[in-house]
Structures are given as structure tokens and as C-alpha cells.
Amino acid sequence: MAFEGYKNTGFTRGMPAGRSGARRVTRRWYLDPTAIAVALVINGYAMSGIVATYLGLPDADQRLSYIVRILTFLVSGLAFATSFRGRVLSKLNGILFAFWLVYLARLLWDVADPFIEGTEIALVFFLGACTVPAALIASSHRDWDEQNVARALVLSGLLVCIGGLLLRDIALQSQMQDSGRLSFSKLNPISLGHVGCTTVLASISIMARRRGAWWWIALVATSIAMILMTYAASRGALVALAICLFAYVVARRAWGYVAAGAIVIYILVASYGVMNPDKLLEFTGLSQLGSDTSSMERIELMSMAMDQIRGNWQFGSSYTLPMQQGYPHNIILEAFMATGIIGVSIFLYSVLRGAFLTMKCLAGAKPLADVL
């Protein structure tokens, strides 16, 4: 989600130009529906997976996940209603909305195809867990309180991080996937890694502007999130974190974070024998990048996606790979495969424009809104 909180550009439009253009929000974070909705949209799935794993629910039991999705929808609606009552709504960005419509058309078309399974569930989650909550939150973004959102993300992310690490060590080994990475049958390492990534980014937003108890909470959350990311060994999450931190440092000239990170890495590598560079790379799944089983599987999936694109480049083939092979683990290829040349062109324009606006706006008052 690329929220635009203080300029008349980006995901939403209609806000007066200036530093914020938003009315001052003084309510506490746990009474802020926008903050809670953002936390549920980003971390809700992982939270339900951790609880379901702890309770030992069977994989086919999706009730808890649906409850979280419904709660996310309701809280997002509350955030929208609050902004509607306060007459501070904003219009959605037309380009990104156009891609949503193209992708929705693809899902509706696939629903009618009896050879593509699971489309009904994908359609429900696309609308109920992604598009509608994101649109409601974006329309109410003038109520965006940076610190409230950061606190909600840090605490919800901290619950997932602590829960995942505890479940790793307490008699639940049989539920962990045999991959050498921290993961569970209901929660893969990619999801865990990205929760850790978001928790670190939200913590930085707090530490950059706050002192006192919340500063220490954010520091602890950062440490625990980094441990989770190390055990999950999700390369995508590590790359995402590195890019976001680089953009943050360059845009805000916060070079102290670079120095602090270098010192921490030096201490880990130099003071503890197990954390030598080779073993660290092996532990995080980077030592055999491109040649390990996971990499080879993804290369094969991307090759299958390319075959689908070559045969259906005008309008796309389907939202998923044939024979229930899942998705190609490449968001650009996935967009091309699902929506064809028109859809992927809209998608790439949105991504490039979002990247440009992010670098332009990161130096402002709401950096967390931009890196998300």
C-alpha cells in the first residue's frame, strides 16, 4: 500500500498542498480505527496463523482466518465512516484503481472457468482482505496519525515475532515445515519475514521521533524482528528491508543508521564465532542463492509464467499457473500473466510512479506511510 499523507500526489488525491493537510489527530492508538485497520491489513493474516498453530487447528480449518478478515473489513469501514463524518475523505488514485479493475475482471473471468480451481476464494480475499480495506483506508488517509499507525504495527508485529519464535521451541516441531527455515503449515517463511520487515520499519519511525518507553519498546521490537527474519531466512523480506532502509537513509540523510548498522554487523561477525560470514550467509539462505532447491523451484515457476505470457500476452491467461502450480514468485510476471500487456503496463507505471513519489516524500513528516 502506497499511502500519500501530505502531498497532493500518490495513492490518493484531493488533499490541500502543504506539510500535512490533515486535521490534528490526538486520540490514542488503540482508539484509532485507521491505525488498527492498517495493522490488521498487514499483520492480521500472520496473527491468525500463529494463533491457529498454537491451538493446533487443522490446516483445512480457515475459520480464524476468515474472522480476522471480517474484522479487518469492519474496522476499515469504521475508519472510512469516521472520516466521512468529519468530511475529510480523499479520492483514490485513478491509475492504481484502474489496475484493480483489470485484475478484478481477470478473477471474474477465471471464476467461470471450471479448470481453474480456488478462484472463488481468491476473489473473496482480493475484495474483502485487500482491495476494499485498502481503498477505505486510503480514502480516510487524512486521519492518518503516523505514530498511532507505527505503534499498532509494532505491537501486532511483535506478537507475531514472539509467537513464532516461541512456537519454534515448545513441542510444536511436528507442525513446522521441514525446510530448515522457521515456518509452519499455516504460515510460510515469506509471511513471517515480511512481518519482521514491517515491524523494523515501524520501529524506526517511532525511534526517529520519540523518546521514553515507546523508544525502548521499538528497540526491543527491532531486535526480535531481526531474529525472526534471520530464522525465517526470507530473501524477499531481507531485500525489501534493505531497499526501504536505503531509501529512508538517502531521502532523510539519516546516515547515523548506516553507522549503527555497520557497528552491529561488525560485533555479530567479530565477537561470536558461529556468526562468521559464511555461516551467516548459509543460515539466512543466501549462500546458495540461485542454486538451492527454493531458487530452482522459483526459476521453474517463472519459466512456466513466461510460457503463459508468450501464449496470451494480449489479455493474460489466468491469475494462477496451470495445473495448480501456484504463482510465479515474481510480481511483474504475475501481473503480466494475469492481466496481459495492458494490465502490466498500468501496474509498472504505478510502481515506478510510486517509487518516484516515495523518494520525493520520504523527507516529509510521514515517512512510514511512504515506505509501506
Side-chain angles (χ1 to χ4, degrees):
M1 297 179 294
F3 294 106
E4 165 48 40
Y6 51 90
K7 295 283 186 181
N8 199 22
T9 51
F11 186 79
T12 56
R13 295 177 180 172
M15 177 178 293
R19 178 177 176 85
S20 69
R23 61 192 176 114
R24 182 174 178 80
V25 181
T26 57
R27 58 190 167 207
R28 298 184 182 277
W29 69 269
Y30 49 82
L31 298 177
D32 187 342
T34 300
I36 301 301
V38 172
L40 287 173
V41 167
I42 296 178
N43 293 334
Y45 168 75
M47 292 172 65
S48 65
I50 289 292
V51 174
T53 300
Y54 176 76
L55 295 177
L57 299 179
D59 292 345
D61 191 343
Q62 297 292 323
R63 288 176 297 176
L64 188 58
S65 177
Y66 281 111
I67 290 174
V68 172
R69 299 305 186 185
I70 293 173
L71 180 62
T72 301
F73 181 85
L74 293 176
V75 177
S76 302
L78 178 61
F80 177 85
T82 302
S83 296
F84 181 81
R85 187 170 59 250
R87 298 181 180 179
V88 290
L89 291 178
S90 298
K91 297 180 181 179
L92 293 177
N93 179 274
I95 298 297
L96 189 56
F97 190 70
F99 177 75
W100 285 355
L101 291 179
V102 172
Y103 197 84
L104 176 61
R106 162 52 57 195
L107 289 176
L108 292 174
W109 183 272
D110 288 351
V111 166
D113 190 334
F115 296 100
I116 304 177
E117 299 180 3
T119 311
E120 295 85 354
I121 296 177
L123 179 62
V124 170
F125 274 81
F126 173 72
L127 292 174
C130 176
T131 306
V132 175
L136 292 175
I137 295 171
S139 298
S140 60
H141 80 281
R142 292 190 186 184
D143 269 344
W144 179 286
D145 185 298
E146 184 85 353
Q147 290 301 294
N148 282 356
V149 173
R151 291 174 180 181
L153 285 173
V154 165
L155 291 182
S156 59
L158 195 55
L159 289 175
V160 174
C161 294
I162 293 176
L165 293 173
L166 288 178
L167 292 179
R168 172 182 175 271
D169 295 322
I170 59 168
L172 287 172
Q173 299 292 331
S174 61
Q175 294 193 23
M176 294 181 61
Q177 296 178 358
D178 186 19
S179 62
R181 305 159 67 187
L182 179 60
S183 58
F184 307 95
S185 58
K186 300 176 182 63
L187 202 57
N188 61 38
I190 300 173
S191 299
L192 289 171
H194 281 287
V195 169
C197 174
T198 304
T199 303
V200 172
L201 296 174
S203 298
I204 290 175
S205 178
I206 291 176
M207 290 189 291
R209 301 180 60 182
R210 291 281 182 178
R211 291 295 182 267
W214 273 103
W215 191 93
W216 290 103
I217 293 174
L219 179 62
V220 171
T222 299
S223 303
I224 296 176
M226 292 300 294
I227 294 174
L228 178 80
M229 292 182 69
T230 303
Y231 278 107
S234 174
R235 291 176 290 231
L238 291 171
V239 171
L241 179 61
I243 292 175
C244 288
L245 291 179
F246 176 78
Y248 181 88
V249 168
V250 172
R252 300 180 73 87
R253 300 180 181 179
W255 302 108
Y257 287 108
V258 177
I263 292 172
V264 170
I265 293 174
Y266 175 80
I267 292 174
L268 289 175
V269 174
S271 64
Y272 194 53
V274 176
M275 300 298 286
N276 64 64
D278 292 336
K279 290 187 177 181
L280 181 61
L281 289 174
E282 180 179 356
F283 190 60
T284 54
L286 298 175
S287 61
Q288 297 180 331
L289 182 62
S291 60
D292 62 324
T293 302
S294 177
S295 296
M296 297 303 294
E297 289 177 350
R298 296 190 180 195
I299 292 173
E300 182 178 356
L301 292 174
M302 285 187 280
S303 177
M304 294 174 62
M306 289 298 300
D307 291 338
Q308 293 296 308
I309 291 170
R310 280 191 287 267
N312 305 273
W313 63 270
Q314 300 96 333
F315 303 106
S317 57
S318 67
Y319 85 99
T320 186
L321 290 168
M323 297 180 293
Q324 304 304 309
Q325 293 293 320
Y327 55 99
H329 288 270
N330 183 300
I331 193 169
I332 297 176
L333 290 181
E334 185 174 353
F336 203 165
M337 182 183 72
T339 61
I341 188 65
I342 297 176
V344 76
S345 298
I346 298 173
F347 177 76
L348 287 175
Y349 175 80
S350 299
V351 170
L352 294 175
R353 183 170 183 268
F356 172 78
L357 293 174
T358 295
M359 292 302 299
K360 181 180 178 181
C361 299
L362 263 176
K366 299 181 179 181
L368 180 60
D370 293 297
V371 296
L372 289 179

